[in-house]
Amino acid sequence: MEKKEIYIGIDLGGTTIKMGLISDKGELLEQLEIPTRTKEGYQTIIEDIVQHSKKLVSETGFEWENVKGMGIGIPGLLDIESGIVRMAPNLHWTDIPIKQILEEKLQILVQIENDGNIAALGETWMGAGKGYKHVVMATIGTGIGAGIIVNGQILHGKSGMAAELGHIPISDKGIVCGCGNVGCLETVSSATGIIRMAQEVVKNRKNSLLTERFEGKLDQITAKSVFDAAKEKDKEAVAIVEEAAHLLGKALATVANLFDPEIIIIGGGVSKAGVILFDPIREAFYQYGLKNIVKNVQVVPATLGNTAGMIGAAALFHV
Amino acid sequence: MEKKEIYIGIDLGGTTIKMGLISDKGELLEQLEIPTRTKEGYQTIIEDIVQHSKKLVSETGFEWENVKGMGIGIPGLLDIESGIVRMAPNLHWTDIPIKQILEEKLQILVQIENDGNIAALGETWMGAGKGYKHVVMATIGTGIGAGIIVNGQILHGKSGMAAELGHIPISDKGIVCGCGNVGCLETVSSATGIIRMAQEVVKNRKNSLLTERFEGKLDQITAKSVFDAAKEKDKEAVAIVEEAAHLLGKALATVANLFDPEIIIIGGGVSKAGVILFDPIREAFYQYGLKNIVKNVQVVPATLGNTAGMIGAAALFHV
């Protein structure tokens, strides 16, 4: 046991911190989840990571010497080389040198990376993208994130902001995005976009299960409730899902034409909807993509689920 | 002189072959241009390259031993590692092992690369992209080509087909593209797209300099004639240029959101139009791009002109 190399992979979210112990083969040996105490400041969060890392290692029967590194996926704008979190709105962090602080406290190598990139890296190491070197992963949740792997490496761009799939200008519905622009992909194809369309159906009292179920309860509509109604063949719900999926498929065709990837992986809560979502995504993808590029590209669901972040964070030491 | 290292850079087009002698500092020391004898088969073209390479070197006072490599930019689908031209419609070539043939005949290293990538590499080495590592170059001619440099390296994707900017689905005009899809960028923003819009103006006898000049002579309209009329403030011509430029700027915003580049370079015949083209491109680019990404990205014209291909082909030995 003593000579085994293990890694700590951390998915640092605004609500919870997922921490995993990962073998050099990518196995998730043990995991724990703690709340992110954002209100108590960054020192508290970092101290929580320190204490629980040690606990995770010792309670699993490893020695601290077995730990070869800690990777952390963080939602925000990062300076990856120096390990500084420049701006993480969900954590209320600005200019926090987390790498340096943790390396001093733990005496191990620490690497940080954008959470979208980490998920893509995790799926490429151990999930749906295993064995591939050119991978696009889109994560569909409240917004739309992405991570792009080129030749086995994360695509960062000049300032670590590459792969902003959610903000490509592609919709003509005229909806203003959180970023200030109009027509971004995530105004339509994210959970937020799907919920907005469902609310319109209810507000306009269209003949739909959505209206039956949510009249007067607009704020209770979730993406899942729209998919549920669509699975019951509700016409309005089906139209919403198809609109969101069609635009996502078209956007992914654009991405494929630019990157010539081997595989496209779709993760995030919305991706659990299954064929009702994937069929129209694929239809648009193969319709709009350049045939010679997309003919051999599969569009598949992510397989690691909530563990992609932890595994991807550990994968930072494997690429 | 004897120890000087030089490279032969070749821009192998369907009409002409441009051959240059390039120093290891990227200077174009000498060049010549010969017609591409496509009708006489690949052996003739390759023999032309062999003979003129030797002539170029000897007449410039170098020894063949000074030549450290030959790079060739080729329009088509290539197998870069093995140096085989899989399909080059302009040359009428299929499965030609040009690298192997030339290496045997010339006894120097030969590398081949897609022509769009070569232009991007040339501009990055010695032109508008000098000093940058994250570069997007779009070439606007009959179609729209592109080359994308990530971390100083050409982006190839899984099969060398990356950077198909001309075929991203972005127009809602419903024009069928040569690739078979509808709405590709190049149906609107290429020279072909611009000419098509001008022909519509003339066919509909709209009040325009274009109608005055080209009624009954539709096939004489060039992109330049549209830009000329636009510079004379012809309303219809201005509208055409703005439509083509707007869509290109929007497409480049999409590219920027995905790649987070340092600079965007626009080359090709159409790019010579100047501010009348670049102003509306930039307007759309900064409007549709994610602010944090595009705020520091310049959109500039290419500076190497016709020599980008030769210089970029030589640059294959410098990256």
Side-chain angles (χ1 to χ4, degrees):
Chain A
M1 205 79 158
E2 231 172 271
K3 285 189 179 167
K4 195 156 185 175
E5 298 199 342
I6 55 171
Y7 302 88
I8 300 172
I10 299 181
D11 181 351
L12 174 50
T15 312
T16 63
I17 306 175
K18 296 187 188 69
M19 304 176 59
L21 217 59
I22 288 127
S23 78
D24 56 0
K25 293 190 178 65
E27 303 147 308
L28 181 59
L29 305 171
E30 190 53 79
Q31 58 179 312
L32 61 80
E33 187 171 325
I34 55 175
T36 314
R37 298 199 277 164
T38 46
K39 284 183 186 158
E40 296 167 49
Y42 76 91
Q43 293 98 334
T44 304
I45 294 177
I46 290 179
E47 197 51 38
D48 280 348
I49 290 175
V50 168
Q51 296 310 325
H52 286 88
S53 294
K54 291 181 174 168
K55 196 174 143 193
L56 190 63
V57 171
S58 65
E59 291 189 354
T60 324
F62 288 98
E63 303 294 325
W64 192 250
E65 289 68 38
N66 295 126
V67 184
K68 297 305 166 193
M70 171 186 282
I72 314 177
I74 303 174
L77 192 61
L78 315 176
D79 185 331
I80 286 161
E81 289 197 15
S82 57
I84 298 171
V85 179
R86 288 294 173 206
M87 198 176 65
N90 295 346
L91 300 169
H92 312 298
W93 284 13
T94 308
D95 294 329
I96 305 297
I98 185 170
K99 173 185 164 82
Q100 191 197 331
I101 299 173
L102 281 170
E103 286 187 342
E104 281 170 12
K105 284 179 187 275
L106 294 172
Q107 297 295 312
I108 55 172
L109 275 177
V110 175
Q111 284 195 55
I112 66 173
E113 182 55 82
N114 177 278
D115 60 343
N117 293 339
I118 281 295
L121 203 60
E123 289 287 341
T124 302
W125 192 23
M126 295 302 294
K130 199 168 179 173
Y132 294 106
K133 297 182 78 174
H134 302 274
V135 178
V136 172
M137 177 168 176
T139 303
I140 319 298
T142 313
I144 296 182
I148 297 175
I149 308 293
V150 172
N151 255 330
Q153 305 280 327
I154 295 170
L155 176 83
H156 283 117
K158 72 170 185 301
S159 52
M161 295 196 63
E164 283 286 1
L165 176 65
H167 298 284
I168 70 172
I170 193 167
S171 159
D172 53 11
K173 292 187 80 154
I175 299 165
V176 178
C177 181
C179 78
N181 282 350
V182 175
C184 294
L185 176 65
E186 70 178 38
T187 63
V188 175
S189 300
S190 64
T192 314
I194 290 168
I195 291 166
R196 181 186 295 110
M197 289 189 276
Q199 289 174 334
E200 288 301 313
V201 167
V202 178
K203 276 187 209 161
N204 295 320
R205 294 190 173 173
K206 289 194 179 170
N207 179 15
S208 162
L209 292 173
L210 294 169
T211 310
E212 279 179 32
R213 291 169 188 172
F214 296 100
E215 193 153 26
K217 298 180 282 186
L218 280 185
D219 58 348
Q220 291 178 28
I221 302 177
T222 62
K224 185 172 182 303
S225 48
V226 181
F227 286 114
D228 286 345
K231 284 171 189 167
E232 294 172 62
K233 303 204 188 308
D234 179 75
K235 214 178 105 188
E236 296 295 339
V238 167
I240 291 170
V241 171
E242 288 189 347
E243 184 168 349
H246 182 86
L247 206 68
L248 179 59
K250 189 175 179 180
L252 291 172
T254 295
V255 175
N257 284 357
L258 293 171
F259 286 93
D260 185 17
E262 295 169 292
I263 192 165
I264 291 180
I265 302 169
I266 301 177
V270 170
S271 72
K272 292 174 192 150
V275 290
I276 200 169
L277 177 75
F278 276 80
D279 279 352
I281 290 176
R282 290 180 182 126
E283 192 183 328
F285 177 74
Y286 295 112
Q287 176 193 336
Y288 289 109
L290 200 57
K291 296 297 164 285
N292 274 329
I293 290 180
V294 298
K295 66 183 180 189
N296 296 317
V297 181
Q298 279 191 290
V299 179
V300 302
T303 60
L304 298 183
N306 277 337
T307 67
M310 291 181 284
I311 293 173
L316 287 171
F317 294 89
H318 280 262
V319 289
Chain B
M1 205 78 155
E2 232 173 89
K3 285 190 179 168
K4 194 155 185 175
E5 299 199 341
I6 55 169
Y7 301 88
I8 300 172
I10 298 181
D11 181 350
L12 174 49
T15 312
T16 63
I17 306 174
K18 297 187 189 69
M19 305 177 58
L21 218 59
I22 288 126
S23 78
D24 56 0
K25 292 190 178 64
E27 304 146 307
L28 181 59
L29 304 171
E30 189 55 79
Q31 57 179 309
L32 60 79
E33 187 171 324
I34 55 175
T36 315
R37 298 200 276 166
T38 45
K39 284 183 185 162
E40 296 169 48
Y42 76 93
Q43 294 97 335
T44 306
I45 294 176
I46 290 180
E47 198 51 37
D48 280 348
I49 290 175
V50 168
Q51 296 308 325
H52 284 88
S53 295
K54 291 181 173 167
K55 196 175 145 194
L56 189 64
V57 171
S58 65
E59 290 188 354
T60 325
F62 289 97
E63 302 295 324
W64 191 251
E65 289 69 38
N66 295 127
V67 184
K68 297 304 166 195
M70 171 185 281
I72 314 177
I74 303 173
L77 192 60
L78 315 177
D79 184 332
I80 287 162
E81 288 196 15
S82 57
I84 298 171
V85 179
R86 289 293 173 206
M87 200 176 63
N90 296 346
L91 299 169
H92 312 298
W93 283 14
T94 309
D95 294 328
I96 306 296
I98 186 170
K99 173 185 163 83
Q100 191 197 333
I101 299 174
L102 281 170
E103 286 187 342
E104 280 170 14
K105 285 180 185 275
L106 294 171
Q107 297 295 311
I108 54 173
L109 275 177
V110 175
Q111 286 195 51
I112 66 173
E113 182 55 83
N114 177 278
D115 60 343
N117 293 339
I118 281 295
L121 202 61
E123 289 286 341
T124 302
W125 191 23
M126 295 302 292
K130 200 169 176 171
Y132 294 105
K133 297 182 79 175
H134 302 274
V135 178
V136 172
M137 178 167 176
T139 302
I140 319 297
T142 312
I144 296 183
I148 297 175
I149 308 293
V150 172
N151 255 331
Q153 305 281 329
I154 294 170
L155 176 83
H156 283 118
K158 72 170 184 299
S159 52
M161 295 197 64
E164 282 288 359
L165 176 65
H167 299 284
I168 70 173
I170 193 166
S171 158
D172 54 11
K173 291 187 78 155
I175 299 165
V176 179
C177 182
C179 77
N181 282 350
V182 175
C184 293
L185 176 65
E186 70 178 37
T187 63
V188 175
S189 300
S190 65
T192 314
I194 290 168
I195 291 166
R196 182 186 294 112
M197 289 189 275
Q199 288 174 336
E200 287 300 313
V201 167
V202 178
K203 277 187 208 161
N204 295 321
R205 292 189 174 173
K206 289 194 180 169
N207 180 15
S208 161
L209 291 173
L210 294 169
T211 310
E212 279 178 33
R213 291 170 186 170
F214 295 101
E215 192 151 26
K217 297 179 283 187
L218 280 186
D219 58 347
Q220 291 178 29
I221 301 177
T222 63
K224 185 174 181 302
S225 47
V226 181
F227 286 114
D228 287 345
K231 283 171 188 167
E232 294 172 62
K233 303 205 188 305
D234 179 76
K235 216 177 100 186
E236 296 293 340
V238 167
I240 291 170
V241 171
E242 288 190 345
E243 183 168 348
H246 182 87
L247 205 68
L248 180 59
K250 188 175 179 180
L252 292 171
T254 295
V255 175
N257 284 356
L258 293 172
F259 285 93
D260 186 18
E262 294 170 292
I263 191 165
I264 290 180
I265 303 169
I266 300 178
V270 170
S271 72
K272 292 174 191 150
V275 289
I276 200 169
L277 177 74
F278 276 80
D279 280 352
I281 289 176
R282 290 181 181 126
E283 193 183 325
F285 177 75
Y286 295 111
Q287 176 194 332
Y288 289 110
L290 199 58
K291 296 296 164 286
N292 275 329
I293 289 180
V294 299
K295 65 183 181 191
N296 296 317
V297 181
Q298 280 191 290
V299 180
V300 303
T303 60
L304 298 182
N306 277 337
T307 67
M310 291 181 282
I311 293 173
L316 286 171
F317 295 89
H318 280 264
V319 288

